[in-house]
Amino acid sequence: HTFVKEPRMTLILDALAQAATVLPAQIAQFYLPPRRGAAPGELVYRPFAIAAADITFASAKYNVQQTRRALRICPIDNSAVPVDWARSTELALDAGDLEKQPDAGVAFASLPGAASKPKSYDDWEKLLSRWLRTEQPLTLLQSPTFKLTSAAGQSERDFRIRLQELARERRDAAVDALRKRYAARVGTLEERLRRAEADLARQQQQASAQKLSSVVSIGESLLGSFFGRKRSTITTAVRGIGRIQDESGDVARAQATAEHLRAELAELQAELEREIDGLAASFDAQSEPLESVSIAPKSSDIVVHFVGLGWVPFKASEADQGAWI
């Protein structure tokens, strides 16, 4: 492109400005507003194809019904394909922000030949519709774990937060189900332990009573022997000692049973906690690789409002599309 600079060629500038606007009436012309801080004498309008369209994305499978407004500019050159929408840029403007008249004092770059022909814009509109349909699908994110798809326009961060909340809800439900599944086994062991501890207490009480009885019998036997009583009292005392030993054995067995049941109950509760921990570690929404789902619009769901000639203000020293003021 060639650029005309202020202030030395005012007459040429005026002529070029007039030539730029004197185009067939079928060609709609728009002027992008310069950003703040740029004087008109520093700027030059460069020609671009500009288009506005509404694209509707619909999918019953993914519960999507969304219409997106697109406003794009695309460079125009003198090649066999003057406009390639793959090189276009989305504008962060509304179509209503476009101006219909140029700013005074801004120079104009030369206009490629194709841009002065109304038929070119018809061709570019067809190319735009095709490109929007095939190359600009609505992309959603999907969780392989939950088979859940993001909402249209939902960011990855917000989608992962949504997944984490869902994972927490499902984990809580799974933990409740797990506790219910273990509840019967835990209840059975707790009841057996309760009975074993009651039996142990009874055996200990009986052993204590037998010890006391035996001590009394031995005392009586010793006194009877001292006073010349029969040996039968001594024999009775000896038998009491044997019963003490029997009671001690019963206590030991009852105690072993209770300890075994306590250990079995502790292991069952530890097993439950391990399974709960496993549920907590089974999903991490922040690290799960997400899949992409593409929804392409139908041809009938693309409405092109216009394809026209857009004049974009640049600094005269800058030629790159990304340097738009």
Side-chain angles (χ1 to χ4, degrees):
H1 298 290
T2 57
F3 297 91
V4 183
K5 299 182 180 180
E6 282 276 29
R8 293 180 298 170
M9 302 181 69
T10 304
L11 293 177
I12 296 177
L13 275 177
D14 292 341
L16 283 173
Q18 184 177 4
T21 56
V22 179
L23 290 171
Q26 302 95 309
I27 300 176
Q29 296 188 72
F30 303 92
Y31 301 85
L32 273 68
R35 298 181 186 176
R36 296 178 181 178
E42 301 175 331
L43 302 177
V44 58
Y45 281 122
R46 291 181 58 203
F48 287 77
I50 188 168
D54 284 338
I55 309 102
T56 299
F57 302 92
S59 172
K61 179 180 179 180
Y62 297 110
N63 192 29
V64 169
Q65 182 71 34
Q66 184 195 52
T67 298
R68 177 193 296 169
R69 170 63 56 87
L71 181 64
R72 306 190 72 88
I73 58 170
C74 184
I76 308 172
D77 58 33
N78 288 306
S79 66
V81 183
V83 169
D84 179 1
W85 291 106
R87 299 168 56 204
S88 66
T89 301
E90 183 79 22
L91 291 176
L93 295 173
D94 187 85
D97 296 327
L98 300 175
E99 299 173 354
K100 296 298 181 66
Q101 298 295 328
D103 281 10
V106 180
F108 284 80
S110 61
L111 188 67
S116 61
K117 300 174 183 178
K119 185 179 182 304
S120 297
Y121 296 86
D122 295 334
D123 295 339
W124 298 342
E125 180 175 337
K126 294 175 184 176
L127 290 173
L128 174 65
S129 295
R130 184 186 309 162
W131 180 75
L132 289 173
R133 178 170 51 84
T134 59
E135 303 298 332
Q136 290 291 288
L138 176 67
T139 301
L140 306 177
L141 299 173
Q142 188 174 67
S143 163
T145 300
F146 293 113
K147 304 302 179 186
L148 184 69
T149 305
S150 65
Q154 187 174 41
S155 68
E156 179 178 339
R157 175 182 176 277
D158 290 343
F159 183 51
R160 289 188 182 276
I161 291 174
R162 179 184 169 193
L163 289 177
Q164 197 64 57
E165 290 174 349
L166 178 60
R168 189 178 301 111
E169 292 172 1
R170 293 195 179 183
R171 174 187 174 275
D172 291 345
V175 168
D176 288 342
L178 195 62
R179 289 190 186 280
K180 289 178 182 178
R181 181 156 59 86
Y182 272 80
R185 296 167 61 189
V186 171
T188 298
L189 280 176
E190 287 178 339
E191 177 60 21
R192 288 176 60 190
L193 178 59
R194 185 190 66 77
R195 291 199 301 265
E197 289 177 336
D199 183 56
L200 174 61
R202 185 171 60 255
Q203 296 293 345
Q204 288 173 334
Q205 185 178 10
Q206 290 176 355
S208 296
Q210 184 61 48
K211 286 180 182 179
L212 179 59
S213 176
S214 297
V215 168
V216 171
S217 296
I218 291 172
E220 290 177 345
S221 298
L222 291 174
L223 288 173
S225 176
F226 180 77
F227 290 106
R229 293 180 182 176
K230 296 179 180 180
R231 295 178 55 86
S232 58
T233 56
I234 298 176
T235 302
T236 301
V238 172
R239 288 176 181 172
I241 294 174
R243 284 195 292 272
I244 290 175
Q245 292 175 340
D246 291 341
E247 292 292 344
S248 297
D250 292 341
V251 169
R253 285 189 291 273
Q255 190 167 10
T257 299
E259 289 177 355
H260 174 75
L261 288 171
R262 288 192 196 98
E264 191 173 349
L265 180 60
E267 175 56 31
L268 185 61
Q269 290 172 334
E271 180 183 327
L272 172 60
E273 292 304 317
R274 286 195 295 271
E275 290 205 39
I276 290 174
D277 292 342
L279 288 174
S282 62
F283 179 77
D284 182 5
Q286 301 306 315
S287 61
E288 183 191 29
L290 300 177
E291 298 175 351
S292 295
V293 174
S294 294
I295 301 174
K298 299 177 182 178
S299 298
S300 58
D301 289 335
I302 298 174
V303 178
V304 179
H305 297 291
F306 64 79
V307 174
L309 179 62
W311 292 101
V312 183
F314 284 78
K315 285 187 177 179
S317 59
E318 296 172 329
D320 182 67
Q321 178 179 342
W324 170 46
I325 295 300

